[in-house]
Amino acid sequence: MFDMNPLNLPDAQLQQLIMLVVAAVLGFIIGYVSRRSTIKELEGILVTTERDLDDCYRQTPVVADTDDEEAIVLNRIRSRSSEVNFGRIGMASAIDADNLKVIVGIGPYLEKKLNAIGIYTFRQIANFAPEDIEQVNDIIEFFPGRIERDNWVGQAADLVNKK
């Protein structure tokens, strides 16, 4: 009855060696695949964090003056500046700022709103695509269609060419 010991078979050690190699290979493959997925997940988190950090650097400091209606509106608009596609229209800062009031339809308060979301130059306005016009119109809480009617993009393109 106790004569059935599997270790007494002539190729038992070879079978054990093969099982050990198969287990090692499977363990390596599973570890490699799970490590790659973890790396991809962490790279995605890193990209998102870097983008959020860049957004923080681009934003101008928020002054919390709750008594001033204009400051409340500008802070609300500034908080939505990340929705603008700066990859398409271009980046600018207050140092690069043009006098946007030269464009017919942009007054002092509207210029402040545009500056609050990071639009400072004629070139940025000239680069507006229809989606950008719609998005900016919504963010700055402006009359729908007014940007097209006043032809901001055309005026800005003319002003860029004159520079």
Side-chain angles (χ1 to χ4, degrees), residues 95-111:
I95 296 169
D96 308 320
D98 292 323
N99 181 7
L100 298 180
K101 295 183 295 281
V102 173
I103 296 175
V104 174
I106 299 180
Y109 185 53
L110 199 50
E111 183 180 41

Side-chain angles (χ1 to χ4, degrees), residues 2-95:
F2 293 106
D3 296 337
M4 302 285 291
N5 186 354
L7 296 177
N8 289 337
L9 295 174
D11 60 348
Q13 291 176 343
L14 179 63
Q15 290 175 357
Q16 288 177 342
L17 181 64
I18 291 172
M19 287 191 291
L20 181 66
V21 169
V22 169
V25 169
L26 284 175
F28 176 80
I29 292 171
I30 291 170
Y32 180 80
V33 169
S34 67
R35 185 183 59 184
R36 291 302 307 160
S37 66
T38 302
I39 288 172
K40 287 185 183 203
E41 180 182 334
L42 290 174
E43 285 174 343
I45 292 170
L46 178 63
V47 167
T48 303
T49 304
E50 287 175 342
R51 189 178 312 129
D52 291 344
L53 183 61
D54 288 343
D55 288 344
C56 287
Y57 283 136
R58 268 192 272 140
Q59 290 179 353
T60 55
V62 177
V63 178
D65 183 6
T66 56
D67 295 336
D68 186 13
E69 182 67 28
E70 182 178 321
I72 293 170
V73 171
L74 290 176
N75 285 337
R76 182 174 61 235
I77 290 170
R78 189 175 289 114
S79 69
R80 294 186 61 197
S81 66
S82 62
E83 298 175 28
V84 178
N85 186 351
F86 289 104
R88 182 175 28 235
I89 68 170
M91 295 290 297
S93 66
I95 296 169

